[in-house]
Each structure stands twice: as C-alpha cells, then as structure tokens.
Amino acid sequence: MKVVAIGDNCLDWYLDRQMVHPGGNALNVAVYSHRLGAESAYIGQFGTDWAGDVMIHALEAEGVDISRIRRAPGTSGYATIETVQGDRVFRGSSNGVVAFRPDPEDYALMAGADVIHTGDSSFLEEHVADFATVAPVSFDFSIKPDEYCARLLPYVTYATFSRPGLTPDEVEKLIGWARGLGAAEVFVTQGEAGSWSWVDGRLHHEPATAATRIVDTLGAGDSFIAGMLVARLDGAPLEAAAARASAFAAQSCGTLGAFGYAESAERMTVAPDHCFAS
C-alpha cells in the first residue's frame, strides 16, 4: 500500500511556548500514513532556511520517501498558533515558497500510488484533474465553500470536509451533494461530535474516541484522514475504518504539535508575506 501526499508544508510556530513543530496537511498525512504501516512519500517545496531544515529532518527521521522534495530561495511556510485551553488558535501565517508546479518526475512517483492526497492549502487545484488520471485522489476540502469544492469533486475519490456546526440532516445533504458531483467516499469531521462517513451506499456516524489526555488538537483532522485512507486501502469495512481513524485522531491529541519534533523558535522571524488571521 502506497500513499503519496503532495502539496503544503508549514512550520507550526507556537507563540505561547515559543516552540516550533513540523506540519502542514499534506506533510502530516504522509507522516501519519507511514506510522500506520503504509509506504508513504511526500512531494513538496521548502525554503532554503532553517525552518525547511527542521521539516526535512523530521521527514527523514520518520522514514517518509522525500526523493521528490525541492528547495527554493526564500522562506518556508509557517503558521503562528496559540494554545487556548488545549485547543489551537491560528493567529497568522506565511505561505513562503510552498507553491510549485508538479513535474514529470513527480508524476512518475505518483504513478505507483494507491492514493494521492492533497488539499485546500496546497495551491495545486489546477493539477487535481491530472492527478486523477494517475491514481485515486484524496482531497481535504476543510471548510472551503461549495463553489470551490464543486469544481474539484468530479476528480476526487476520497473527499473530506470539516463541518463541526452541521446538523445530521445537513451532513447527509452535504454528502449527497459531494457524491452527486463524483466523490466515491465522503468523510465529514465534526471534532468532539465525531465524524460521518459515506462508503458503498452506507452512511455511518462514528463518535469521537475519548482521548486519554488532550495535549494539543493540532493535526487531529489530518490523522483522521490518514487513518481512514490506510484502513480503507487495507480493506477495512466502513465501521471498522471509521473506528480506527477516530482512535488514531484521539491518539494524536496526546502529542504537542502535529507529530512532535519540537524545536526552539528562537531562529524564527516574521516573513515579508505574513498575514494576520481575521
């Protein structure tokens, strides 16, 4: 089983602790998938700065295939975060040099994948249709509006949405809409309210697994995605896959940062393209 994640990376900069951790949806899914037993690869672009070094060293330590990463002059992406009562609050971000265009060697690596994962922070929307000709695509739509999702759903096999405020009827309507546009399997995460999944004509609600100790919720959504993808590719039926994904997401909440690798933030500086969260 091989998972290839392509797109965003960012260094999560915790302002309250003045520590940084590697992260980013695509990078996280690559790491989590590997931890769950899949062969995984990450394709992405880093700056030539210290932040890029931190993220690349973490990927190397985790055993993720990084043969198709690249580095460009400039700063790596980051997100500034504060932890408030165990939950993360985003304060601002910089995209740095994360945006890139896939090349033939990237497609050659993706050709061996069982699934290609990317998402709404990867700046790769124009390439999703091409990805779908190579392997099934997983896409994290997060909280993006319908008009954004509608143009990509025809090319997506595994669609994930973060919609904590929807009622069960609204979730079912969203899932039906996404399926009607082409998604074969649809997952809707709702934080403490659990998740909804549609697979093979069946709708399932999975309660959130109680975490033994909540240290940091950053990465919980990404760990759920990796858990579902690996379980489904492993042949797990819907209920078992959802339970495994929920348990893995709860486990990730016991780690500072998305998956650890804390470093002091003393070498971080605010980038020229820094944007404050609204």
Side-chain angles (χ1 to χ4, degrees):
M1 178 197 312
K2 183 172 183 178
V3 177
V4 174
I6 180 170
D8 64 312
N9 59 76
C10 75
L11 204 60
D12 293 320
W13 180 0
Y14 286 72
L15 301 176
D16 50 320
R17 296 189 291 112
Q18 279 304 304
M19 300 293 288
V20 295
H21 298 264
N25 173 258
L27 187 150
N28 288 343
V29 168
V31 169
Y32 291 140
S33 297
H34 192 264
R35 287 187 173 185
L36 287 165
E39 179 186 357
S40 76
Y42 172 70
I43 302 172
Q45 181 160 275
F46 301 89
T48 49
D49 55 354
W50 172 81
D53 294 341
V54 171
M55 290 185 277
I56 291 169
H57 291 160
L59 288 167
E60 290 173 335
E62 288 291 322
V64 174
D65 179 351
I66 56 171
S67 59
R68 291 304 308 145
I69 64 168
R70 61 268 275 159
R71 306 192 76 166
T75 59
S76 300
Y78 65 77
T80 51
I81 301 164
E82 285 188 286
T83 306
V84 180
Q85 296 181 341
D87 202 0
R88 84 280 195 202
V89 178
F90 288 94
R91 300 302 191 193
S93 62
S94 163
N95 292 325
V97 299
V98 71
F100 70 99
R101 294 186 64 84
D103 63 25
E105 292 184 10
D106 297 328
Y107 281 97
L109 179 63
M110 288 188 281
D114 292 289
V115 64
I116 299 166
H117 174 78
T118 190
D120 71 314
S121 298
S122 292
F123 305 102
L124 292 169
E125 289 85 355
E126 66 179 288
H127 304 287
V128 171
D130 293 331
F131 296 165
T133 67
V134 176
V137 172
S138 162
F139 198 97
D140 182 8
F141 291 98
S142 187
I143 59 171
K144 279 292 195 281
D146 288 355
E147 57 268 24
Y148 173 94
C149 305
R151 63 192 178 96
L152 298 173
L153 280 164
Y155 310 106
V156 172
T157 299
Y158 306 96
T160 304
F161 301 86
S162 176
R163 297 289 191 275
L166 295 189
T167 66
D169 286 346
E170 289 170 333
V171 168
E172 192 164 358
K173 182 178 178 181
L174 169 64
I175 289 173
W177 174 76
R179 290 182 57 249
L181 287 172
E185 302 194 7
V186 184
F187 315 122
V188 181
T189 60
Q190 296 195 300
E192 294 180 353
S195 63
W196 295 83
S197 303
W198 178 279
V199 174
D200 296 333
R202 298 178 56 239
L203 180 65
H204 172 72
H205 177 257
E206 181 68 28
T209 300
T212 303
R213 185 169 69 106
I214 297 178
V215 175
D216 187 356
T217 59
L218 189 74
D222 301 340
S223 56
F224 178 88
I225 291 171
M228 284 298 295
L229 291 176
V230 172
R232 291 294 296 144
L233 291 173
D234 196 36
L238 172 58
E239 291 84 354
R244 284 165 58 176
S246 179
F248 187 61
Q251 179 185 330
S252 76
C253 293
T255 301
L256 285 172
F259 56 92
Y261 295 92
E263 295 275 358
S264 169
E266 63 183 356
R267 297 181 64 177
M268 291 296 292
T269 57
V270 175
D273 69 336
H274 181 92
C275 293
F276 291 95
S278 56

